[in-house]
Amino acid sequence: MRAILTYADRLAARGHDVTLVVPTRGRVRATWRNLRGAGPDWVASFRPRIRWVPRWDADALPDADVTLATAWQSAAAVAGAPARCGAKFYLVQHYESLYHGAPDVVDATYRLPLRKIVISTWLAEIMRERFGATSDVLVTPVDRALFHRVDVAARTSRPRVLMLHHEYAWKGVADGVEAVTRARARVPGLHLVGFGVKPPRERVPYDEFHANPPQQALASLYSGCDIYLCPSWDEGLGMPPMEAMACGAALVTYDNGGSRDYARDGETALVARRRDVDALAQRLTSMASDDALRARLAAAGQGYVTTAFDWDRSVEFNKDNENLMRLDASAKRPRDDGSSKVKRAC
């Protein structure tokens, strides 16, 4: 969601007329939110307009030069939109058939006549190999204004290992906890820090936990840890690992697909085979017990994620970089009067 809102806001700042279409339950609620001008209160001075709707309806989408679906739920409405909605795109941020919705229903959206924009080379491979669809790769950058190294005085044993907590099994929390347990056999001072939108429902052996930390606190949380552990089985890209790397943490991760665009084993991170807990524990042990290795990979990872991908370049649609895409001629650039329209269905 942060990526969608950031693109929308930055496009609006460049003179595009941007509208986000957002469903809510019922016509009365949609009308009330439109009257209130409800928007994302966690994004300061958000510039695009928001149009609340009771459900996805192709005929109700506004006129635009470009219409963009941002999830499988809105793809069919965008594909069925009339010609007045302009060029049609589909921003794919995960292979959602794996874990979201009925697989056959979600897979059908990838066959719709929408130009694909994907956020990782792994997703581009899936679109090509499974659906015969070409796509433009636009890796989501880290917001360097939010995520950068800050000085934090740790009052616990080290190394501090940070892990995202989530109830989805595929986020690999159980794998991560097991890897930490095994690593402690050689690194007894290892301190496990958890964070997430909600605290665990059942007991998980975190040494400390940060529930729903505000956006402004994340840089301190990342910077205050030495290692970021990502045990997710599959990720469309994986923003928390990239954010942690930008803040100077060394990354240990599964080869979860999306990580291949920034986690190179032995160069910018330590990478274990997908769902191989033994390999993940070995990588974590190596990172936790070797200060020189950890410092080298942390510096290399931080340098890579903060320079290889950039928000200004992404929003400019510059294809000089293979990770960036340029809208085709049917999608208009901002005119001098600022009246160009970009509609985002999300």
Side-chain angles (χ1 to χ4, degrees):
M1 189 56 67
R2 168 170 286 282
I4 295 167
L5 297 180
T6 301
Y7 273 119
D9 193 50
R10 285 175 173 262
L11 286 167
R14 293 177 63 83
H16 291 280
D17 179 4
V18 183
T19 300
L20 291 99
V21 181
V22 187
T24 188
R25 293 190 296 272
R27 189 174 300 278
V28 172
R29 181 174 297 193
T31 300
W32 174 242
R33 290 190 174 186
N34 284 325
L35 289 173
R36 287 178 51 227
D41 55 7
W42 53 281
V43 179
S45 304
F46 190 64
R47 284 164 280 216
R49 68 175 58 85
I50 310 290
R51 176 185 287 194
W52 295 92
V53 296
R55 64 183 182 280
W56 294 121
D57 185 344
D59 293 332
L61 294 175
D63 293 355
D65 297 310
V66 172
T67 299
L68 178 73
T70 59
W72 70 268
Q73 293 94 330
S74 60
V78 172
R84 61 178 175 76
C85 292
K88 300 174 182 180
F89 288 77
Y90 188 178
L91 177 63
V92 180
Q93 297 196 81
H94 205 331
Y95 181 33
E96 295 184 287
S97 305
L98 291 173
Y99 306 109
H100 303 285
D104 56 340
V105 175
V106 180
D107 277 355
T109 69
Y110 301 130
R111 300 185 179 94
L112 293 171
L114 302 170
R115 180 169 172 178
K116 310 296 188 300
I117 306 169
V118 297
I119 64 169
S120 67
T121 54
W122 175 67
L123 288 173
E125 292 169 1
I126 289 175
M127 292 300 112
R128 181 179 64 253
E129 295 172 0
R130 301 192 182 191
F131 304 101
T134 59
S135 52
D136 295 289
V137 179
L138 190 62
V139 175
T140 306
V142 171
D143 186 342
R144 295 197 295 271
L146 274 175
F147 304 108
H148 53 272
R149 185 76 178 177
V150 297
D151 291 331
V152 178
R155 296 180 174 85
T156 67
S157 60
R158 306 197 85 134
R160 289 169 57 86
V161 177
L162 180 65
M163 184 174 73
L164 176 68
H165 182 84
H166 204 292
E167 297 301 328
Y168 288 154
W170 60 270
K171 287 294 186 179
V173 171
D175 291 13
V177 169
E178 179 61 23
V180 167
T181 299
R182 297 185 191 185
R184 278 190 172 135
R186 284 191 53 192
V187 189
L190 190 153
H191 187 88
L192 179 59
V193 182
F195 75 116
V197 175
K198 298 178 181 179
R201 295 178 184 175
E202 300 177 356
R203 186 181 181 280
V204 179
Y206 295 113
D207 296 304
E208 65 180 269
F209 191 86
H210 300 259
N212 198 24
Q215 295 288 306
Q216 295 75 12
L218 287 174
S220 294
L221 181 59
Y222 289 138
S223 298
C225 293
D226 306 287
I227 299 168
Y228 187 88
L229 177 62
C230 180
S232 294
W233 304 342
D234 303 283
E235 287 287 349
L237 180 63
M239 291 309 300
M242 295 176 68
E243 293 164 358
M245 293 168 77
C247 294
L251 176 64
V252 176
T253 182
Y254 273 148
D255 177 10
N256 54 40
S259 63
R260 296 171 190 171
D261 282 300
Y262 54 87
R264 299 173 180 174
D265 190 34
E267 297 180 18
T268 62
L270 291 184
V271 182
R273 291 182 299 276
R274 178 183 181 272
R275 299 193 67 176
D276 185 336
V277 178
D278 287 339
L280 188 67
Q282 291 169 9
R283 298 297 194 283
L284 178 59
T285 301
S286 296
M287 190 76 87
S289 60
D290 190 331
D291 293 347
L293 173 68
R294 189 167 66 246
R296 176 175 66 82
L297 294 181
Q302 182 182 45
Y304 188 76
V305 298
T306 58
T307 58
F309 319 112
D310 178 81
W311 271 113
D312 289 334
R313 294 200 305 266
S314 295
V315 175
E316 288 171 0
F317 305 121
N318 185 341
K319 206 168 184 178
D320 291 339
N321 187 308
E322 65 181 0
N323 293 313
L324 309 176
M325 59 80 62
R326 176 177 54 81
L327 295 179
D328 62 15
S330 63
K332 303 173 184 177
R333 296 298 296 251
R335 293 185 283 267
D336 291 342
D337 61 1
S339 62
S340 179
K341 300 176 182 177
V342 177
K343 193 283 297 177
R344 301 221 158 212
C346 55

